Amino acid sequence: GWANTALPFFATLAILAGTVFSQKYLRIGQYLPTLNRVINILDVVLAAAVVLTLVAEYSLSIRIVSLAGALAIFFIPIGVACRRRGSRSALYYLIAWSFFLAGVFMETMRSFALMPSNFFTEYATMIGSAFQAVLLTMGLADRFNRVNRENDRLREVHKELGIARKILHSILPEKAPEVPGMRIICSYRSTEEVGGDFYDFHHTGEGKFGVLIADVSGHGLPAALISSMLKIAFSGESAAAEAPERLLRNMNRLLLGKCDERFITAGYAFVDVPARELRYASAGHPPMLVWKKKERRLLTVKPPGQLLGVLPEVTCSVARIALEPGDRILLHTDGLTECPDPNGEPFGEERVAAALQDSAALSGGQLTDALYAALTAWAGGSLHFEDDVAIIIMELEPLPAP
């Protein structure tokens, strides 16, 4: 009857509930993932055992309860293993079980007259259970407080990132300079984890201008603050605008000792439109790409140069390129080439080069959109890239028809 069924049924159900509780309380899936999969199977077996106690003979049901109880004891060494891996909850769990088992031991010893009979030994199991419940609750409260502290830290991080975004957007030029004979398109897309991408221009007049593109290592507010120092250093070098190597060398002197353990990659191009000449120097920056329309040839330009903010003196070679009408120049930060697909493979310089080669029928703005579309598709459709992306496209306008 139900009187014989109820005890094993509820006992097995309680063991199942305790197993699931212990599994979640100890966060076994985080600390012991392989064992957690085994326990998931055990949970299914215990659920079947609960149902079996409703139809099995009383003697069999009692054996089921005994076996399930013995399996539950294994959570104590599991708790020890989780504690060794740094689980704070496991510490509360083990102390709680210690009180409960101590109570069971004392009451058992009293029943065999091996301990005196008094209030504590008579109700030792109940007292141990009470302490066990209190300690498990304290463990949950401790976890709740830690989660709250983590949430507070996350709010501070989001606040910091908001400040970093404002800094970055305030130092970037609102628009590219208008230079007769040259089309210039600028684009910048920031991630949730703000980086240190930066670009700016020196317009010296008479169809001459310089463009700096740079990337501070790291993310967050420190990278944004260093970007703001880049802005100051670059703005003060207008006298060196026509000498790429000297400009980067002077900026390095200003930035040295102000970047902590970070570094800066940079590329600076000076374009003389009337003379149809481009001079380019790099400080460890990704290559500049030049599509020669008339020759239908792609140039990958990466003259040797050292990172900024690391060494007292840097040397940067200068590449000189003759330009012709229709030639297109692409500068970018490494967020473009290093964007990974779902398998971790980077987008790569080859795909950027292929996009530039195939862009003859596109305007500079359309090429920028095509690059972002290809990057989004490569990243599995995600609109949030892992790193900031800055793109500058320049095109020498065709000569007007006679």
Side-chain angles (χ1 to χ4, degrees), residues 7 26 37 91 99 177 214 233 244 261 275 279 322 339 351:
L7 176 62
L26 293 171
R37 289 191 285 272
L91 178 62
F99 272 96
E261 296 180 354
R279 298 194 290 274
C339 178
R351 292 180 179 85

Side-chain angles (χ1 to χ4, degrees), residues 198 200 226-237 251 254:
F198 171 77
D200 204 354
I226 295 173
S227 293
S228 66
M229 289 191 285
L230 263 175
K231 171 78 171 181
I232 296 169
F234 180 70
S235 298
E237 290 301 319
M251 288 182 62
L254 290 168

Side-chain angles (χ1 to χ4, degrees), residues 99-109 124-125:
F99 272 96
F100 175 74
L101 293 175
V104 172
F105 175 77
M106 290 173 64
E107 194 163 326
T108 303
M109 296 293 284
T125 301

Side-chain angles (χ1 to χ4, degrees), residues 112-334:
F112 286 103
L114 296 175
M115 290 188 74
S117 180
N118 54 44
F119 175 81
F120 291 105
T121 56
E122 187 174 349
Y123 298 101
T125 301
M126 294 178 61
I127 294 171
S129 295
F131 275 103
Q132 182 185 38
V134 170
L135 284 162
L136 291 175
T137 303
M138 288 173 63
L140 289 174
D142 178 67
R143 184 184 298 179
F144 180 76
N145 289 333
R146 281 185 283 124
V147 168
N148 277 342
R149 287 195 295 270
E150 287 295 325
N151 287 336
D152 289 339
R153 280 195 287 269
L154 283 175
R155 281 190 286 270
E156 287 298 318
V157 168
H158 283 298
K159 183 179 178 181
E160 177 183 297
L161 291 177
I163 295 171
R165 285 193 190 91
K166 290 179 181 178
I167 291 173
L168 280 175
H169 287 291
S170 67
I171 63 176
L172 294 176
E174 293 183 4
K175 61 179 182 178
E178 296 182 3
V179 180
M182 180 68 73
R183 297 193 193 103
I184 306 172
I185 302 294
C186 303
S187 176
Y188 171 75
R189 292 198 181 181
S190 63
T191 61
E192 292 183 1
E193 189 177 4
V194 179
D197 291 13
F198 171 77
Y199 63 86
D200 204 354
F201 298 88
H202 279 315
H203 189 193
T204 60
E206 299 179 350
K208 300 177 182 180
F209 70 96
V211 53
L212 175 78
I213 187 165
D215 188 0
V216 180
S217 64
H219 296 87
L221 186 56
L225 290 173
I226 295 173
S227 293
S228 66
M229 289 191 285
L230 263 175
K231 171 78 171 181
I232 296 169
F234 180 70
S235 298
E237 290 301 319
S238 57
E242 299 189 18
E245 190 260 349
R246 182 156 61 95
L247 181 139
L248 291 179
R249 188 172 63 245
N250 292 348
M251 288 182 62
N252 178 70
R253 290 171 181 163
L254 290 168
L255 294 167
L256 187 66
K258 300 178 177 67
C259 301
D260 197 13
E261 296 180 354
R262 300 171 186 269
F263 60 86
I264 302 161
T265 69
Y268 179 74
F270 180 78
V271 183
D272 187 336
V273 177
R276 297 185 186 176
E277 183 187 50
L278 180 149
R279 298 194 290 274
Y280 179 71
S282 172
H285 201 70
M288 176 180 69
L289 301 177
V290 181
W291 172 247
K292 303 291 291 180
K293 182 178 181 181
K294 185 177 179 180
E295 303 170 25
R296 300 195 60 78
R297 183 166 62 100
L298 182 69
L299 302 180
T300 300
V301 186
K302 190 174 183 179
Q306 296 157 314
L307 301 170
L308 302 184
V310 178
L311 300 172
E313 292 293 335
V314 296
T315 55
C316 303
S317 299
V318 177
R320 294 174 179 267
I321 300 168
L323 299 177
E324 296 178 286
D327 287 355
R328 183 170 283 176
I329 303 151
L330 172 63
L331 293 165
H332 62 86
T333 54
D334 62 9

Side-chain angles (χ1 to χ4, degrees), residues 379-393:
S382 173
L383 296 176
H384 300 291
F385 307 137
E386 289 192 0
D387 197 2
D388 293 2
V389 179
I391 297 173
I392 300 174
I393 298 172

